[in-house]
Each structure stands twice: as C-alpha cells, then as structure tokens.
Amino acid sequence: MAMVGLFWIAEGDVYVGAKPSGLAPGVRLTPEGVVSLGDGQSGFHLWEDVHALTVADVPVKSLKRQVGAVKDLAVGTVLELALSAGPGRVGDAPPLMTVRVESPDGDHELAAYVAAAVGYSQAEVDLSRALLSRLTEGAATMATTLAAMSQWGRGWEGGSPRRAEREGLLREWVG
C-alpha cells in the first residue's frame, strides 16, 4: 500500500484519498468506472458517463499544518494516557475531501478521507487533479493510465515513496 499524490494504491486497487475500511467513505477507481464506497454513498458511475472528475477540500501541506499535527499528536497522547480512552476516540478521524463526479444524470459529491496526515504538497495536488482530468479523456486513455497505476501498485513493496518519486510517478501517469 502506498500513497501517491491524492491516490492510495493497494496492490492493484486505486483509490482517491485513503483506502476505506468498514463503513468509512471512499472512492475507488476501477477499469469499469468510479465506485463510491461507505455508509450512505454507495454507487457506481461508468467511465463513459463521467464527463468530469474533480476533487475539492484538499488540505495543502504548510508549516502551520505540520506544527498543528505535531501539537495534536502530543495533546492526544497526553489525553489518551490521562483518560485511558484508548485509540479510536471520536474526533480521531482524518479530514474528508470531496470527489465530484459530473455525469449526464447530474453532479455527484462523494466523500473520501485524506490519506496525508499533514496535507499534500501543492505539486502533488496539481498533478493529481491533472491525472483525474486525464482519466475522463476517453476509454483508451483511462484504461492505459489506470493500468499503469495498478501495475505500479502490484510491484511496489514498502510504504509510500518519497515526495520527489511520488511527483515523478504522477508526471509519468499524466503523460
């Protein structure tokens, strides 16, 4: 499993945002279409019906956000020890992004959890948005691009690559 830009790639599966588990919201990109997952947003949009695929509410990495994350971690650790509340307290969920699917039957807003703890670099956000746009350019482009992402995910071992490598992959996939 690895994060590359706004995408979470787990073996051959490609998600926008974090890979969901249980009833958590998420968005999966398959060769057939865009799948919305989670409680209250299950649905499927065929690629041939997807005119635009965009994402909003993306947190961009900044020094202020990084300092805030460290502070939240420290305060959370102290509270956890003091209150013995254990992991998984309410409020521990990451922020949500909005994935918009534009189709002939209307615009659909889907939720997906952010995978980056302190936000994404501006370059990764811009490249990821370009990649989402590229996926709607036609069946051949979408199939080739998703296949390259899936193939990379099946061959990758370890955690997420460093930022320069992530940006390089996104540039390659945007083509």
Side-chain angles (χ1 to χ4, degrees), residues 12-70:
D13 297 333
V14 178
Y15 299 88
V16 180
K19 178 182 177 181
S21 64
L23 298 176
V27 177
R28 183 174 173 213
L29 307 178
T30 71
E32 294 78 28
V34 179
V35 181
S36 53
L37 305 166
D39 192 30
Q41 72 169 23
S42 61
F44 179 71
H45 306 278
L46 291 170
W47 282 114
E48 62 196 41
D49 296 331
V50 176
H51 296 172
L53 188 58
T54 59
V55 65
D57 308 318
V58 178
V60 177
K61 188 182 294 187
S62 67
L63 180 58
K64 181 178 178 181
R65 186 176 298 280
Q66 289 173 310
V67 168
V70 170

Side-chain angles (χ1 to χ4, degrees), residues 83-121:
L83 301 176
S84 298
R89 295 185 323 266
V90 175
D92 285 348
L96 290 168
M97 297 186 293
T98 303
V99 181
R100 291 190 178 100
V101 180
E102 184 182 313
S103 67
D105 65 340
D107 293 349
H108 308 274
E109 290 192 351
L110 311 174
Y113 281 119
V114 170
V118 293
Y120 302 92
S121 73

Side-chain angles (χ1 to χ4, degrees), residues 127-164:
L127 288 165
S128 295
R129 285 181 169 150
L131 183 54
L132 287 169
S133 178
R134 181 165 172 71
L135 291 172
T136 64
E137 290 176 359
T141 301
M142 178 279 305
T144 303
T145 304
L146 269 183
M149 295 171 79
S150 294
Q151 181 179 3
W152 177 86
R154 282 189 294 276
W156 178 256
E157 294 181 16
S160 298
R162 296 206 174 270
R163 185 175 73 162

